[in-house]
Amino acid sequence: MYDFAIIGGGIVGLSTGLALGKRYANARILVLEKESQWAFHQTGNNSGVIHSGIYYKPGSFKAKFCRDGSRSMVEFCQEHGIEHEVCGKVIVATEEQELPRLEKLYTRGLENGIAVQRISPEEVKEIEPHVKCVGGVRVFSTGIVNYKQVCLKYAELIHQQGGDLHLNTKVLKISPSGKNQVLETKNGSFETRFVINCAGLHSDRIAKLGQVDPQAKIVPFRGEYYELVPEKRYLVKTLVYPVPNPDFPFLGVHFTRMIDSSVHAGPNAVLSLKREGYQKTDFNLGDFLEVITYPGFWKLAAKHADEGIQEIIRSFSKAAFVSSLQKLIPEVQAEDLVPTHAGVRAQALMNNGSLVDDFLIVQGQNSIHVCNAPSPAATSSLEIGKAIVAQIPQPLHLETVVA
């Protein structure tokens, strides 16, 4: 009998397990992951950025979690010897018409309590000599890390706390058993007093297994990246982002120096025809039908038709992808870039066509379901874990640990 069972071994599931163990020293904690390794999907295929929180609406979960999470993530890496770097980034306007949006972004950064600085094109060149722009904002607290390494440390600490962790264990069914719940998997059944759903790309489906309305549907968006060839890595010193389009839910293609010194360029954002579709050719009929028969998808598509078409063009045309990157660094040429990994983002979409912009946490009977944990979830993972645990009623038989 477990006190808590967590479904999903990505960074949110593992951070929640870690937070539970810290709060309840004697709790029996179970973490189930269907893949053969931790952080296999979203966490293991993201850009490895420790975000600052500059983009997010003041007062939102995203803004608070990210601002606090960027600090706690750096402290965690320092404590456990995980390689990271707080290198900062620049957000640049490449056209005069983008300057008002850049100014709003700067103001938002101040409202969110982030260390930001307006900088001129000349000052941008002192940081990133190859960037061409008409103005910029410097964000000091942005960093880089390998989140797979972070997750491995989370899992190690959960094990040290006495938690049970199972890979290759997919949850197939959730059944009530009195006041408890039984998770039926291909590797046997597990009984628990409380279920925590952190299943990412499948979080809405797990919620339904637990007889809970997820209030939205997960629609997968693939983000494709290129990588600068080693001899051209000198073109990017830190991280270079464009001013995002406020009418489009993604940040636009950008340059990110990774913790291994490689430089990735991207991502675009295209509908994936499979929930775990990392290749253009990946297709699952059930996943595809689920999306195209969902009214919210067509409302979203109609609203963002122009941007969506551009993203598809960038997916199939390297020249178009390179053209977008050249707005930031004109020296970049097609031969400087080679394809690298892609990631798939689990985006919750409402029936009315609106994207769930913030974290979506749905309460069930003896369960809680994280049905939208978008970027910056990795940065914010320690804070999200604590927030999820704070929403779980304290079991009568467990005592909290006094910090």
Side-chain angles (χ1 to χ4, degrees):
M1 167 64 72
Y2 290 93
D3 296 301
F4 305 102
I6 299 164
I7 303 172
I11 201 163
V12 173
L14 291 169
S15 66
T16 302
L18 184 62
L20 280 168
K22 288 182 176 179
R23 181 158 185 172
Y24 304 112
N26 297 320
R28 292 208 63 197
I29 298 168
L30 172 70
V31 183
L32 302 177
E33 166 57 44
K34 71 183 180 70
E35 303 294 352
S36 60
Q37 56 185 278
W38 307 113
F40 190 81
H41 289 293
Q42 292 186 97
T43 306
N45 292 289
N46 68 19
S47 58
V49 176
I50 302 174
H51 289 285
S52 66
I54 188 172
Y55 298 108
Y56 312 120
K57 182 180 178 181
S60 66
F61 285 125
K62 271 188 178 183
K64 182 181 186 306
F65 286 163
C66 192
R67 183 189 65 234
D68 297 344
S70 64
R71 296 172 188 151
S72 58
M73 180 57 66
V74 169
E75 290 169 359
F76 182 87
C77 292
Q78 291 171 340
E79 179 182 355
H80 296 286
I82 297 171
E83 188 179 6
H84 68 289
E85 181 182 349
V86 181
C87 55
K89 78 172 178 181
V90 292
I91 304 170
V92 298
T94 58
E95 301 174 0
E96 293 288 335
Q97 65 194 39
E98 294 176 340
L99 287 174
R101 299 209 309 260
L102 185 69
E103 182 65 23
K104 287 182 179 179
L105 204 56
Y106 168 73
T107 302
R108 175 163 283 191
L110 295 177
E111 292 172 343
N112 283 334
I114 298 164
V116 292
Q117 177 187 15
R118 284 196 215 88
I119 51 177
S120 67
E122 293 74 26
E123 290 170 316
V124 169
K125 282 195 172 293
E126 291 176 9
I127 304 164
E128 293 288 351
H130 302 278
V131 169
K132 182 180 179 181
C133 67
V134 296
V137 168
R138 187 175 188 181
V139 186
F140 293 91
S141 58
T142 301
I144 51 177
V145 71
N146 183 328
Y147 282 116
K148 276 196 171 183
Q149 293 180 5
V150 172
C151 283
L152 289 175
K153 179 56 68 172
Y154 285 177
E156 178 186 327
L157 293 172
I158 293 168
H159 179 70
Q160 290 175 6
Q161 292 171 345
D164 289 346
L165 301 101
H166 294 262
L167 294 167
N168 297 305
T169 307
K170 181 179 180 178
V171 174
L172 305 172
K173 187 177 180 181
I174 302 176
S175 305
S177 176
K179 292 183 178 180
N180 304 324
Q181 298 186 66
V182 175
L183 307 182
E184 299 180 24
T185 80
K186 66 177 184 179
N187 292 328
S189 299
F190 302 87
E191 188 169 357
T192 182
R193 293 186 171 93
F194 199 93
V195 172
I196 304 162
N197 167 16
C198 299
L201 283 159
H202 300 278
S203 57
D204 57 339
R205 292 171 175 173
I206 293 294
K208 289 178 180 178
L209 286 182
Q211 307 302 311
V212 172
D213 179 6
Q215 301 180 12
K217 183 176 291 296
I218 294 297
V219 175
F221 286 91
R222 186 174 60 255
E224 298 157 337
Y225 288 87
Y226 285 91
E227 181 180 348
L228 282 177
V229 295
E231 56 269 27
K232 289 301 179 79
R233 290 176 181 173
Y234 70 88
L235 291 173
V236 179
K237 306 296 183 186
T238 58
L239 294 86
V240 182
Y241 281 65
V243 180
N245 180 348
D247 297 324
F248 195 57
F250 303 104
L251 294 178
V253 294
H254 49 269
F255 291 93
T256 304
R257 182 164 63 85
M258 310 290 279
I259 199 65
D260 65 0
S261 297
S262 63
V263 177
H264 287 192
N268 58 356
V270 294
L271 177 69
S272 175
L273 304 182
K274 181 181 178 182
R275 289 228 181 172
E276 295 165 2
Y278 297 100
Q279 306 295 326
K280 291 182 178 71
T281 54
D282 286 345
F283 178 79
N284 179 281
L285 181 60
D287 291 351
F288 174 69
L289 291 175
E290 198 172 358
V291 171
I292 66 166
T293 58
Y294 185 56
F297 169 72
W298 293 107
K299 295 171 185 174
L300 174 73
K303 182 178 179 181
H304 296 292
D306 292 343
E307 295 94 340
I309 290 169
Q310 291 304 312
E311 295 292 327
I312 293 170
I313 291 172
R314 269 195 286 263
S315 178
F316 287 94
S317 168
K318 184 178 183 180
F321 205 111
V322 172
S323 178
S324 296
L325 294 171
Q326 286 173 335
K327 291 180 180 178
L328 299 171
I329 300 180
E331 293 173 58
V332 171
Q333 301 298 316
E335 58 267 25
D336 301 334
L337 297 160
V338 293
T340 185
H341 77 284
V344 179
R345 172 178 175 172
Q347 176 62 60
L349 178 63
M350 307 295 284
N351 193 61
N352 64 5
S354 61
L355 294 168
V356 179
D357 186 51
D358 214 343
F359 296 96
L360 176 62
I361 299 175
V362 182
Q363 295 279 353
Q365 183 69 32
N366 296 325
S367 65
I368 192 167
H369 302 263
V370 183
C371 292
N372 198 56
S375 178
T379 300
S380 312
S381 57
L382 290 165
E383 306 307 315
I384 297 169
K386 289 188 289 187
I388 291 170
V389 171
Q391 293 190 37
I392 299 172
Q394 179 177 342
L396 294 176
H397 66 290
L398 295 178
E399 293 184 3
T400 57
V401 176
V402 179

